């Protein structure tokens, strides 16, 4: 299944994009070209996110990436933004660095499973030490897998089957109780060095951001960053192991202690091997694609649009040598955190985590198959 999704389907999208930037299918529209992808993502009132039913199934009301541009969205966005302080990125980077080093200095690299033995512990350490969600040993794997399954279900799009519903419901049953228990513990004994502790440290929660909203925000912050950072780490490693030029560039950046250059390499790797083949949008009314051009493509109300940032970032019409690893290319061609509306609210956190994981890894020159994501 992963091979079909990550290799065959991605290759098909690239091929179709070379032939035509927008395809009209039987019941939906396939949006692949760089300009068309950016247009759909920027016209948020014309092209809505269609995840309402999936939110309901996961009991994730208030999930910011599934909200339209409404007062509810801005209320949640502002509330989440207030929960992050200026020093948070540095705190997260310290946790990621310390956890990475502790693992890599005590484990032989040839015995290390990159995702399970390194990425997962780093991300879970941040969940506990930064967000304030303590997870007992027996809950770690179900919680980790539940977040991954919930994210996969949320953004899958298309028709929802009974099997998908059952799998998603079972998955999040391992997540919500852990978050609820963490909120109870933080309310009784708040640790102001954590996100939850800050929320409760005043004794009474912020009346403008209820506990129900906080619960959803906590799920958003963890359920958003944990699956995507896991996926991104594996995909960057895949590029490093497959491309000597990418490996050499990033190892040189680490040797030179240039985090910004390392990050450029990481994001270029993700442009080439993006984490999500496609996202979904829905036409809010009769409209078109092709703003600012002489060629408009009519889109009828309620039409589903399958939009591929992955294909857009390798569109040869706008990107020179799109399949080449070129970390020096303009950052404007990379949409690894989305484009305009619903741009990843945790981008700085994801960057910090990826930098620290790959700094630790690249100092040790990974060459073993088990490092592959």
């Amino acid at each position: 299944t992963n091979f079909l999704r990550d290799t065959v389907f991605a290759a098909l999208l690239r091929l179709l994009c070379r032939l035509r930037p927008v395809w009209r299918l039987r019941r939906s529209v396939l949006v692949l070209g760089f300009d068309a992808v950016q247009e759909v993502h920027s016209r948020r009132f014309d092209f809505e996110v269609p995840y309402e039913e999936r939110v309901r199934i996961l009991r994730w009301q208030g999930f910011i990436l599934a909200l339209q541009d409404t007062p509810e969205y801005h209320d949640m966005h502002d509330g989440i933004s207030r929960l992050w302080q200026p020093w948070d990125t540095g705190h997260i980077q310290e946790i990621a660095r310390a956890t990475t080093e502790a693992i890599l200095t005590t484990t032989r690299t040839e015995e290390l499973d990159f995702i399970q033995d390194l990425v997962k512990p780093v991300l879970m350490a941040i969940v506990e030490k930064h967000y304030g969600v303590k997870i007992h040993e027996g809950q770690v794997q179900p919680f980790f897998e539940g977040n991954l399954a919930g994210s996969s279900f949320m953004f899958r799009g298309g028709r929802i089957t009974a099997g998908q519903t059952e799998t998603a419901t079972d998955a999040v049953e391992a997540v919500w109780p852990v978050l609820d228990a963490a909120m109870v513990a933080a309310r009784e004994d708040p640790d102001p060095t954590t996100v939850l502790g800050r929320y409760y440290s005043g004794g009474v929660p912020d009346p403008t951001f209820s506990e129900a909203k906080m619960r959803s925000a906590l799920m958003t912050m963890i359920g958003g960053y944990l699956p995507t950072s896991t996926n991104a780490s594996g995909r960057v490693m895949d590029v490093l192991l497959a491309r000597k030029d990418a490996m050499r560039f990033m190892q040189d950046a680490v040797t030179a202690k240039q985090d910004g250059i390392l990050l450029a390499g990481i994001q270029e790797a993700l442009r080439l091997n993006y984490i999500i083949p496609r996202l979904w949008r829905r036409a809010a009314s009769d409209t078109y694609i092709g703003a600012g051009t002489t060629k408009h493509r009519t889109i009828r109300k309620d039409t589903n649009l399958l939009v591929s940032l992955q294909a857009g970032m390798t569109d040869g019409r706008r990107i020179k040598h799109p399949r080449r690893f070129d970390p020096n290319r303009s950052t404007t061609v990379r949409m690894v955190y989305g484009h305009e509306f619903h741009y990843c609210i945790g981008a700085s956190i994801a960057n910090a985590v990826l930098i620290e994981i790959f700094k630790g890894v690249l100092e040790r020159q990974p060459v073993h198959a088990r490092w592959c994501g």
Side-chain angles (χ1 to χ4, degrees), residues 35-247:
D35 293 323
V37 167
Q38 287 204 338
E39 180 183 350
V40 170
H41 277 272
S42 63
R43 290 171 56 192
R44 57 187 180 272
F45 296 110
D46 296 323
F47 302 108
E48 304 175 325
V49 284
Y51 303 123
E52 300 93 340
E53 182 62 15
R54 294 174 184 272
V55 165
R56 186 194 64 76
I57 290 171
L58 295 180
R59 296 182 284 117
W60 199 348
Q61 300 300 323
F63 176 43
I64 193 168
L65 295 183
L67 293 175
Q68 316 302 345
D69 189 351
T70 60
E72 181 185 8
Y73 167 84
H74 292 283
D75 181 47
M76 287 298 299
H77 190 283
D78 292 346
I80 291 173
S81 298
R82 289 198 301 272
L83 292 170
W84 273 311
Q85 301 298 321
W87 60 84
D88 279 356
T89 300
H91 185 218
I92 287 170
Q93 199 151 5
E94 289 173 6
I95 297 169
R97 181 183 304 124
T99 308
T100 298
E101 286 302 309
I103 293 170
L104 293 179
T105 55
T106 58
T107 308
R108 295 173 59 186
T109 55
E110 63 267 24
E111 298 175 352
L112 192 74
D113 182 303
F114 179 60
I115 296 297
Q116 288 294 327
D117 298 336
L118 180 60
V119 174
K120 183 183 74 175
V122 169
L123 299 179
M124 297 302 279
I126 293 168
V127 169
E128 180 172 344
K129 296 177 181 180
H130 178 68
Y131 292 110
V133 177
K134 184 171 180 58
I135 306 173
H136 300 295
E137 185 175 351
Q139 297 174 314
V140 171
Q141 193 65 22
F143 183 86
F144 180 75
E145 293 178 355
N147 274 285
L148 266 62
S151 177
S152 176
F153 173 78
M154 178 66 73
F155 297 114
R156 187 175 190 140
R159 185 172 66 90
I160 302 175
T161 67
Q164 291 173 10
T165 299
E166 182 179 359
T167 299
T169 302
D170 290 345
V172 297
E173 284 301 323
V175 178
W176 283 120
V178 173
L179 301 183
D180 291 338
M183 292 183 70
V184 171
R187 189 187 309 122
E188 296 174 350
D189 184 20
D191 176 358
T193 66
T194 68
V195 171
L196 267 178
R198 286 202 299 255
Y199 179 73
Y200 285 111
S201 60
V204 178
D206 183 348
T208 65
F209 201 68
S210 68
E211 286 186 288
K213 291 178 180 178
M214 180 62 199
R215 183 177 187 262
S216 178
L218 192 63
M219 180 71 155
T220 296
M221 289 188 284
I222 295 172
Y225 114 96
L226 195 153
T228 53
S229 294
T230 300
N231 193 346
S233 298
R235 288 177 179 273
V236 172
M237 182 57 76
D238 286 344
V239 172
L240 290 176
L241 294 177
R243 296 178 181 242
K244 292 182 180 179
D245 57 340
M247 178 72 80

Side-chain angles (χ1 to χ4, degrees), residues 243-250 324-325:
R243 296 178 181 242
K244 292 182 180 179
D245 57 340
M247 178 72 80
R248 184 169 53 252
F249 175 87
M250 291 199 225
R324 179 182 296 175
F325 177 83

Side-chain angles (χ1 to χ4, degrees), residues 1-10 152 156 164 235 277-278:
T1 301
N2 289 340
F3 175 78
L4 289 174
R5 181 196 64 200
D6 298 339
T7 304
V8 177
F9 185 63
S152 176
R156 187 175 190 140
Q164 291 173 10
R235 288 177 179 273
R278 76 285 182 272

Side-chain angles (χ1 to χ4, degrees), residues 269-288:
L270 288 173
R271 183 190 68 81
L272 292 169
N273 191 20
Y274 191 48
I275 63 174
I276 304 173
R278 76 285 182 272
L279 290 169
W280 292 84
R281 292 294 186 266
R282 180 182 60 224
S285 60
D286 289 349
T287 185
Y288 61 90

